């Protein structure tokens, strides 16, 4: 007897009699995709600029991404928000970033609707839509869309990937992670990488391995079921991590510097047609020195940093190739709709001189050139968290001005590739039509022949803010349907309308011209002044790289553009305008748990993300571990936070109690007990008492007294001349171990405690042991 099926909500079409013999069955129909529905593959690169892919003119080899472009199309006028979480929210929802609550990265959330980092459920995600149309849905890689205070094991999990329509997840929740020692989450729980770097591990390879396995699992069970894979590499965000053999491919390639890179890339872009033939290269950025003005030693260092970046990008492209090869093997590549996008322009977070440890940039603690040079052969390896100098950032965004975080086109115009061999006739062309990443979801649904749902899981859906550009795929002369688009990022504002672009840079067109750096708040008086005199106007239909400010000659148009910006801001929850950066990072934010001064942790539990961990910097605090030491002794970590890039560890080694504070990877401030901790039950305690104020402008946290106690008795004492002022990055806190790259070279991770560790209590109330003997010893030590 054939199986009878019926749709949800329809009347039961079978027969129900007194017995099964007198009855006939029918089954609720499972959700199945339309016959022949294509797979959907969205590949999101991180901090990859307009001029960094081979098919956009770069000397960096990206043959697999170039191959996707050859089989499809490149867009030269695709725009993002200029920052990662905001862009990622647009990519998956088709709504503007402030309307998603994602004015900025989740870590800089503030208490306003457009800024709180809490994506509303009425802005449904592509995963949720395609799930209801019979797709398998996989999220692999960087997420960065969960409120940072919800990234702990306490949840809630409804804004983790599995709560937003993805059936499987493997990747990391935050903004960046080590490629050698990543902070990994599998579905809803943390996991350790399957191998160590010395065994050949790299995150990009691991992500593609998981993507392949997810697809294979689904296809072997149901070959006809299409998949949606959202593949978000950590690359090419810092740290720029890659094996030396990949970086060495580019030895000498960048020795002529960033100015030469721009000239050569720009010429190639014209040959490829990704910039207009009459385009002009943007000006030399005032914040970037001429390459030839730099000392030879600096040029050597900077060239190596760019070689590492190039190897990192080529290595990422190679992983894309592995995935494409697998889809070819399955016979699925021809019927896979592929879109490749970067979340924003190239990143300037390495500062003017680059860094071997990005935490130095965030803590105003840039290392001297000679210290960087001493590490030149290790750059890109597991010991460092490196980032290139912003001269390469500027070059990576050729032909545009500026970079990530700013709404000039260098921050907000990015490479975009689309391919679908079975569905798009055109091959290898460039499309100049204006588009924004909020257009991606409407376009995918348009190509799949699907209507936006009225509700998702009972929640009425808001309309898309983006529009489909599907009509441009096979028609190079088609008009764009996207006529107006606002931009705002950390107070830096812009508005596009029909070939014109107005920009109000904050704090100015460059830091040099502004006389100050990024992250300053904007007062009401300053905003009024900016609106009166701070806007620039570019006719980008004729001035591709925003070179000619025509505001003076087009005052009426500029006023209309500014007014339009405010209209759009009112629609999408952009107000209030906030230019502050570090202040938002450091401001207290609500946690899921109620505020408290005492935090108790236990071993063999999940690590605590940095932004949910207790704030210990620049304040008195104590760490107390309740342990049992067996007769044969014990060793290992009691509590750790951070990595080799910076952090602290409280541990036992060689029988002695020890504590180390790793200052941005450059200095270890240590204290150890005078004697071996005896066998038995003990309360092992560390205390930090500030002895002076922090000097954050100079990259110095509060100096202080570091003391160790066993059962209330002082056993170790030392002074720290400085500590970390702002943050550990990465900064996960772990009880009973130090997973990933160890905070100190004194041990190899994870250095799990081998005795019995009952609990560890971290107290930030300021209540410390007052020990007159200790105070006397401190005074004596200062003589």
């Amino acid at each position: 007897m054939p199986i009878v099926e019926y749709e949800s909500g329809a009347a039961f079409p079978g027969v129900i009699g007194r017995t099964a013999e007198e009855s006939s069955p029918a089954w609720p129909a499972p959700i199945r995709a339309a016959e022949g529905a294509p797979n959907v593959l969205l590949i999101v690169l991180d901090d990859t600029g307009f001029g960094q892919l081979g098919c956009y003119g770069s000397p960096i080899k990206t043959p697999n991404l170039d191959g996707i472009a050859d089989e499809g199309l490149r867009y030269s006028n695709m725009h993002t928000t200029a920052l990662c979480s905001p862009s990622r929210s647009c990519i998956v929802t088709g709504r503007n970033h402030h309307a998603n609550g994602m004015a900025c990265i989740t870590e800089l959330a503030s208490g306003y609707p457009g800024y709180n980092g809490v994506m509303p459920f009425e802005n449904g995600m592509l995963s949720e839509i395609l799930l209801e149309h019979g797709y398998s849905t996989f999220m692999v890689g960087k997420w960065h869309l969960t409120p940072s205070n919800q990234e702990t094991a306490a949840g809630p999990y409804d804004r983790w990937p599995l709560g937003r329509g993805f059936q499987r997840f493997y990747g990391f929740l935050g903004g960046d992670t080590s490629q050698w020692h990543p902070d990994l989450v599998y579905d809803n729980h943390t996991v350790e990488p399957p191998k160590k770097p010395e065994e050949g591990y790299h995150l990009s390879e691991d992500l593609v391995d998981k993507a392949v396995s997810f697809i294979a699992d689904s296809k072997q069970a149901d070959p006809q079921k299409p998949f949606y894979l959202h593949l978000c590499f950590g690359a090419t965000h810092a740290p720029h991590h890659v094996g030396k053999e990949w970086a060495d491919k580019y030895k000498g390639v960048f020795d002529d510097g960033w100015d030469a890179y721009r000239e050569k890339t720009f010429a190639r872009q014209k040959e490829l047609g990704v910039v207009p033939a009459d385009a002009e290269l943007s000006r030399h950025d005032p914040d970037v020195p001429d390459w030839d003005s730099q000392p030879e030693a600096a040029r050597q260092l900077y060239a190596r940093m760019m070689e590492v970046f190039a190897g990192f990008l080529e290595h990422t492209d190679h992983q894309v190739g592995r995935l494409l090869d697998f889809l070819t093997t399955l016979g699925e590549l021809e019927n896979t709709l592929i879109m490749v996008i970067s979340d924003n322009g190239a990143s300037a977070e390495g500062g003017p001189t680059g860094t071997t440890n990005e935490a130095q940039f965030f803590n105003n603690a840039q290392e001297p050139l000679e210290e960087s040079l001493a590490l030149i052969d290790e750059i890109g390896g597991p010991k460092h968290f490196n980032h290139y100098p912003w001269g390469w950032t500027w070059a990576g965004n050729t032909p545009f001005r500026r970079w990530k975080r700013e709404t000039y086109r260098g921050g907000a115009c990015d490479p975009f590739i689309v391919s679908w061999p079975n569905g798009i006739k055109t091959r290898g062309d460039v499309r100049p039509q204006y588009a924004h990443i909020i257009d991606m979801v409407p376009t995918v649904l348009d190509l799949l022949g699907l209507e936006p749902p009225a509700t998702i899981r009972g929640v009425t859906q808001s309309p898309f803010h983006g529009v489909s550009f599907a009509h441009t795929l096979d028609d190079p002369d088609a008009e764009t349907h996207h006529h107006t688009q606002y931009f705002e990022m950390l107070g830096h504002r812009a508005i596009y309308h029909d070939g014109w672009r107005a920009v109000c840079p904050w704090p100015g067109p460059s830091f040099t011209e502004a006389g100050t750096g990024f992250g300053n708040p904007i007062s009401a008086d300053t905003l009024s002044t900016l609106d009166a005199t701070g806007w620039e106007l570019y006719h980008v239909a004729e001035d591709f790289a925003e070179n000619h400010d025509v505001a003076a000659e087009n005052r009426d148009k500029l006023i209309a553009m500014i007014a339009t910006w405010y209209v759009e801001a009112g629609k999408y929850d952009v107000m209030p305008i906030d230019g502050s950066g570090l202040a938002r990072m450091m401001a207290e934010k609500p946690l899921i748990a109620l505020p408290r001064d005492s935090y108790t942790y236990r071993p063999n539990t999940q690590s605590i993300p940095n932004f949910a961990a207790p704030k210990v910097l620049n304040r008195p605090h104590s760490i107390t571990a309740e342990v049992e030491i067996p007769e044969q002794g014990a060793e290992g970590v009691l509590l750790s936070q951070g990595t080799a890039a910076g952090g602290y560890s409280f541990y036992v080694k060689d029988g002695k109690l020890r504590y180390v504070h790793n200052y941005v990877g450059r200095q270890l401030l240590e204290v150890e007990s005078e004697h071996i901790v005896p066998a038995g039950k003990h309360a092992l305690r560390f205390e930090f008492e500030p002895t002076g104020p922090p000097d954050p402008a100079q990259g110095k946290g509060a100096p202080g007294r570091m003391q160790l106690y066993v059962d209330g008795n002082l056993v170790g004492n030392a002074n720290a001349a400085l500590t970390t002022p702002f943050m550990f990055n990465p900064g996960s806190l772990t009880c009973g171990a130090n997973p990933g790259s160890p905070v100190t070279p004194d041990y190899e991770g994870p250095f799990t405690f081998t005795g019995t560790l009952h609990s560890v209590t971290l107290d930030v109330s300021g209540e410390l042991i007052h020990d007159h003997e200790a105070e006397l010893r401190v005074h004596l030590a200062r003589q």
Side-chain angles (χ1 to χ4, degrees), residues 11 78 153 268 470 522 628 688 711 724 759:
M78 170 60 82
R268 180 64 178 147
I522 300 174
E628 291 184 43
F688 178 79
D711 301 324
T724 304
S759 66

Side-chain angles (χ1 to χ4, degrees), residues 549-603:
D549 180 5
V550 294
E553 306 96 287
N554 297 272
R555 186 68 181 166
D556 289 346
K557 178 169 283 293
L558 178 63
I559 292 171
M561 295 279 280
I562 296 170
T564 301
W565 187 91
Y566 273 99
V567 170
E568 297 297 293
K571 287 182 186 177
Y572 300 118
D573 288 334
V574 180
M575 311 305 287
I577 299 167
D578 187 356
S580 60
L582 193 58
R584 281 155 75 174
M585 177 79 77
M586 302 304 297
E588 290 292 330
K589 300 176 179 63
L591 296 175
I592 299 303
L594 294 174
R596 61 194 194 275
D597 291 331
S598 182
Y599 301 77
T600 299
Y601 302 104
R602 302 186 189 282

Side-chain angles (χ1 to χ4, degrees), residues 373-406:
L373 277 169
L375 303 172
I376 192 169
D377 292 333
E378 298 178 359
I379 294 173
K383 295 181 180 179
H384 305 289
F385 215 82
N386 50 289
H387 197 309
Y388 56 24
W390 64 27
W392 292 120
T393 311
W394 169 62
N397 293 323
T398 301
F400 303 123
R401 60 198 297 173
R402 302 306 281 174
W403 41 56
K404 174 184 176 182
R405 294 191 317 223
E406 301 186 17

